[in-house]
Amino acid sequence: MSRRCSSTTKTSAARKPGWEPRDLDDATVSALTRSLKFMARMSMAKVPAHVALRTPDGKTLATVGKGPAVTVTGEPGELLLFAAGREARVEFEGDDDAVAAVRAAHRGL
């Protein structure tokens, strides 16, 4: 069964209540986007699914892994946080078991 799941992935370093991400200028977004593909390959190499990291407008910024397809959607900065194993505001789409495996997998260096 495939479904879309919106959530915030959590780590032990939780953000303060009421915190909202700031708007980033185009140069910063561009720099984060360039870093994402390399970071995803390094930090998510053993994720047990084929993960596509995608922006809300549908642009795939990186793909990594093998197995069932899972799409993680978010802004480039949030996707970079997710790839690094940090708390991120992202949405998951894919088979329930595959999404659970991606969420539980170790990410980061």
Side-chain angles (χ1 to χ4, degrees):
M1 171 184 223
S2 179
R3 69 179 182 133
R4 189 174 181 102
C5 170
S6 175
S7 69
T8 301
T9 59
K10 298 192 185 231
T11 65
S12 59
R15 294 178 179 161
K16 294 181 180 181
W19 180 90
E20 290 294 324
R22 67 176 186 239
D23 290 329
L24 302 175
D25 60 75
D26 291 341
T28 301
V29 171
S30 180
L32 293 173
T33 300
R34 283 191 307 273
S35 301
L36 180 61
K37 188 172 188 176
F38 176 74
M39 180 64 170
R41 273 190 262 141
M42 294 292 293
S43 66
M44 298 177 63
K46 296 184 180 185
V47 171
H50 182 259
V51 179
L53 301 176
R54 189 172 291 158
T55 62
D57 63 0
K59 183 177 180 183
T60 299
L61 301 180
T63 58
V64 64
K66 295 180 181 176
V70 173
T71 301
V72 181
T73 303
E75 296 298 331
E78 297 295 323
L79 293 171
L80 191 58
L81 287 170
F82 173 77
R86 301 294 304 268
E87 179 179 347
R89 295 176 181 206
V90 296
E91 295 181 352
F92 298 88
E93 187 172 357
D95 177 76
D96 291 343
D97 292 336
V99 168
V102 169
R103 292 179 70 161
H106 173 75
R107 299 179 314 276
L109 299 176

